[in-house]
Amino acid sequence: MDRVQGADSRVVENAAAGRFELAFPGGQAFAVYRRDGERLVVTHTEVPSAFNGQGIGSQLVRGLFEQARASGRRVVPACSFVASWARRHPEFDDVLSPGR
């Protein structure tokens, strides 16, 4: 599933908190990162457990990768979920940081 019913499909970067956020009815998912120059080192993703398996994490990570691509930044998947997602989506290989 690529979209959660009723979810705000917009992933928002909250740079002050160092995370990307996806709000949806009943909660919010987020991906924590730290900046390393133009690289985003994504260290953790979190979806409320009641919503696991509904595609929210994938929607969040896709939005993160799309925003990184649009802004010319690269992603370092230091989080196992993000790394696994990236392996399944080679169309975003250009966004991955070399030498990750």
Side-chain angles (χ1 to χ4, degrees), residues 6-72:
D8 175 354
S9 61
R10 242 176 47 106
V11 172
V12 176
E13 182 176 7
N14 180 342
R19 63 192 215 170
F20 286 85
E21 303 169 342
L22 174 63
F24 56 91
Q28 181 183 69
F30 60 89
V32 177
Y33 70 90
R34 65 177 169 79
R35 295 282 312 244
D36 179 18
E38 290 304 307
R39 296 174 355 140
L40 302 173
V41 181
V42 183
T43 58
H44 178 70
T45 55
E46 192 167 312
V47 174
S49 60
F51 297 93
N52 285 346
Q54 297 182 36
I56 294 171
S58 292
Q59 188 175 339
L60 170 67
V61 175
R62 178 177 294 278
L64 184 162
F65 270 71
E66 288 171 348
Q67 288 190 40
R69 177 185 277 157
S71 64

Side-chain angles (χ1 to χ4, degrees), residues 3 23 79-80:
R3 296 277 181 220
C79 162
S80 61

